[in-house]
Amino acid sequence: MRKRTEPVALEHDRCVALGSSSSGSTAAVLDPDSRLKRNLHLAGKGPAEPRCAADAGMKRALGRRKGMWFQLRKILLCVLGLYVTIPFLIKLCPGIQAKLIFLNFVRVPYFIDLKKPQDQGLNHTCNYYLQPEEDVTIGVWHTVPTVWWKTAQGKDQMWYEDALASSYPIILYLHGNAGTRGGDHRVELYKVLSSLGYHVVTFDYRGWGDSIGTPSERGMTYDALHVFDWIKARSGDNSIYIWGHSLGTGVATNLVRRLCERETPPDALILESPFTNIREEAKSHPFSVIYRYFPGFDWFFLDPITSSGIKFANDENVKHISCSLLILHAEDDPVVPFQLGRKLYNIAAPSRSFRDFKVQFIPFHSDLGYRHKYIYKSPELPRILREFLGKSEPELQH
């Protein structure tokens, strides 16, 4: 009986053991499945957060780009609106164009006392004022030849006026737009001409510097005529040359044409960086580049100049001038294109009015870098003037 129950008990134990091992293995099989599901669930859950953050970052970046593009578009529309408005503004207010041509409100260098030319290194220069018309006063500088530098110290206006009757020739210098008679490049030219033995008389047109009056082409020409007559009344038979630079060439040809018509021409006319007429100069000026191909450019920009009474017609004036003419122009002039100076020479040279006079054009190569206002630096300038004016070296005169 005991023997029969032992196998049964053993069998029961074996079954229990097998059952327990089976359940353990089942759990072992189930555990990896559940872990895999859990891992997959976690794996699916983890990258979603960075992906959402990346999407949000992209949205912010796109928002910023849209904002920048909106701002840029706003700026472009404003610029375009301004670009279109300016022509109409100039057409409706021609005075704006006149101010841009004269630029007399630009006083460079600033903070200089025009009553004291010695502050600019001109210790042999006298400042005085003339009155061409009622309510018009113009400031004048008279620089004597350098050889009189010591003699001129402490002398008054009367001494300077009397000095004009000396044997030294006189240059009446007519400056261009902007600045004053004390402009740096102008002062340097006075020094060069003075060192060559010339009296240099220059002035600020009405409305420039410390001169009183309203600028206009007629007024500027009349100021120049008044100063010429003032010099002529004191210089006797002394030679007088007229030198105009840039816009001053327009004043110079206006003046010399009038002098020739009344049969009192100067001994010579020198034009530095000249143009043909103010319309062609305005069209060629670098400031006009952005509007040069604007529909109706002439009507918007050039006609207001003419309607303001501003012509400065050098090309017409030279046909009525009867005196020697010298034209100086740098090939790299960025303000008055070189071709305008060449064109003016081609108009003047065959003119009947110059049949008995010299007409000469002197170009300065672009490599020299003289541009619009530095021809005074040329070491060839003394020789050019000596040969053209037909005088002996002035500084050797006594």
Side-chain angles (χ1 to χ4, degrees), residues 157-335:
Q157 180 176 334
M158 188 61 67
W159 180 88
Y160 276 86
E161 290 186 27
D162 292 341
L164 290 169
S166 69
S167 59
Y168 292 95
I170 303 160
I171 291 178
L172 171 57
Y173 179 78
L174 306 172
H175 68 67
N177 67 352
T180 68
R181 61 189 184 276
D184 293 340
H185 64 283
R186 293 162 188 164
V187 169
E188 293 305 315
L189 179 62
Y190 310 155
K191 291 176 180 178
V192 169
L193 296 177
S194 173
S195 70
L196 295 176
Y198 296 99
H199 290 272
V200 182
V201 178
T202 187
F203 66 96
D204 281 322
Y205 315 106
R206 60 186 70 188
W208 271 261
D210 56 354
S211 296
I212 299 170
T214 303
S216 68
E217 181 177 357
R218 186 206 69 82
M220 295 163 71
T221 303
Y222 191 79
D223 292 345
L225 179 62
H226 182 80
V227 175
F228 178 87
D229 288 340
W230 180 86
I231 294 170
K232 194 68 178 174
R234 289 156 178 79
S235 61
D237 296 329
N238 211 356
S239 298
I240 303 177
Y241 309 122
I242 293 175
W243 185 312
H245 172 246
S246 192
L247 188 66
T249 63
V251 181
T253 61
N254 282 349
L255 169 62
V256 176
R257 178 175 178 175
R258 290 187 64 172
L259 293 175
C260 291
E261 287 172 349
R262 75 178 195 185
E263 299 182 351
T264 58
D267 292 276
L269 171 62
I270 302 167
L271 301 178
E272 179 188 356
S273 306
F275 49 85
T276 47
N277 58 70
I278 199 64
R279 285 179 71 98
E280 287 196 0
E281 161 55 13
K283 196 167 188 175
S284 304
H285 198 279
F287 288 164
S288 71
V289 171
I290 59 173
Y291 284 106
R292 200 167 293 163
Y293 303 104
F294 190 87
F297 175 84
D298 287 15
W299 187 77
F300 278 113
F301 293 96
L302 304 185
D303 290 351
I305 298 175
T306 307
S307 66
S308 297
I310 304 172
K311 297 179 180 178
F312 291 115
N314 290 338
D315 50 356
E316 285 299 316
N317 288 338
V318 294
K319 298 174 184 176
H320 304 275
I321 289 175
S322 301
C323 70
S324 297
L325 172 64
L326 173 63
I327 297 176
L328 310 171
H329 214 138
E331 292 178 355
D332 58 339
D333 189 329
V335 178

Side-chain angles (χ1 to χ4, degrees), residues 37-48:
K37 287 179 182 179
R38 191 163 57 250
N39 289 340
L40 287 172
H41 177 70
L42 292 172
K45 198 172 183 181

Side-chain angles (χ1 to χ4, degrees), residues 22 60 71 93 104 127 178 192 207 295 314 319 388 396:
S22 174
R60 282 196 299 272
Q71 292 295 331
C93 307
N104 58 301
N127 175 76
V192 169
N314 290 338
K319 298 174 184 176
F388 179 77
L396 298 180

Side-chain angles (χ1 to χ4, degrees), residues 49-67:
E49 292 175 2
R51 200 176 301 126
C52 292
D55 290 345
M58 286 179 66
K59 286 178 182 178
R60 282 196 299 272
L62 287 171
R64 280 196 298 270
R65 286 179 187 173
K66 285 180 181 177

